[in-house]
Amino acid sequence: MAHQAEGIQQDLQQVGIDATLRPVNSSAFYVEAMTRHQVQCGVYGWLQDYPDPGDFLDVLFNGEHITDTDCNNESFYNNPKVNGLLDQAMTSINADERTRLFKQAETLIMNDAPWVPLISEVYPCLYNPRVHGTQPHPVWLWRYEWMWLDPQLKSK
């Protein structure tokens, strides 16, 4: 991530913003980033735990969950309209309504830009032609219980 940070620093310089990089190990960074008023910005990522928009939108952007320390809302973003939409979505049992509410919240969040998405990783993979069921999963990358070997093909 150091190269990403240096690239961002150069981009900011081009628009008149001087940014000082302060590299730290990930453990130290997360302690500081999850503490209010410690980190102005940082380069890091998030992976969801389960396939539901609430696992990242509510956790990372609902201002009602802000605490001074150990806060997953590391941007300390607080928009009452977003909070309300996320609260409604998290308690709704109607899938279409939940999707609509999450999309509305996501649009507001992206317009406010508390985070700037930089990359979406691509995972190249090589595997034996005998292996089937290797369709990547959008959350867990691979579901090994879906994979199987074709007994008719012999390994070379």
Side-chain angles (χ1 to χ4, degrees):
M1 290 200 188
H3 296 297
Q4 289 176 345
E6 290 167 358
I8 294 167
Q9 181 186 40
Q10 291 171 6
D11 290 345
L12 290 171
Q13 284 174 341
Q14 291 179 9
V15 295
I17 299 171
D18 290 322
T20 302
L21 299 182
R22 189 172 57 89
V24 296
N25 68 42
S26 61
S27 298
F29 175 76
Y30 282 107
V31 168
E32 288 187 36
M34 295 173 77
T35 303
R36 191 187 292 268
H37 305 299
Q38 295 300 305
V39 176
Q40 292 178 342
C41 68
V43 178
Y44 49 98
W46 176 268
L47 298 172
Q48 70 184 114
D49 300 307
Y50 54 92
D52 185 86
D55 183 45
F56 49 94
L57 292 176
D58 189 60
V59 171
L60 300 174
F61 300 109
N62 191 331
E64 294 174 1
H65 304 312
I66 291 176
T67 57
D68 287 336
T69 59
D70 299 319
C71 186
N72 283 321
N73 181 343
E74 293 166 351
S75 60
F76 295 88
Y77 174 76
N78 188 8
N79 177 327
K81 187 167 184 175
V82 169
N83 300 347
L85 289 167
L86 293 175
D87 289 343
Q88 288 177 37
M90 292 298 289
T91 58
S92 176
I93 57 173
N94 179 300
D96 291 337
E97 177 185 44
R98 290 184 87 232
T99 299
R100 181 181 54 77
L101 292 166
F102 279 129
K103 283 183 178 181
Q104 287 177 1
E106 183 179 48
T107 298
L108 292 172
I109 293 165
M110 293 306 294
N111 287 338
D112 289 343
W115 281 29
V116 178
L118 297 175
I119 63 169
S120 180
E121 293 180 287
V122 175
Y123 297 96
C125 182
L126 301 173
Y127 57 90
N128 189 298
R130 291 180 62 205
V131 178
H132 296 271
T134 58
Q135 179 66 32
H137 189 275
V139 177
W140 297 293
L141 191 56
W142 301 111
R143 295 294 301 263
Y144 295 102
E145 71 271 22
W146 296 347
M147 294 181 183
W148 56 278
L149 291 176
D150 186 339
Q152 303 301 317
L153 293 174
K154 301 279 188 214
S155 293
K156 293 181 181 181

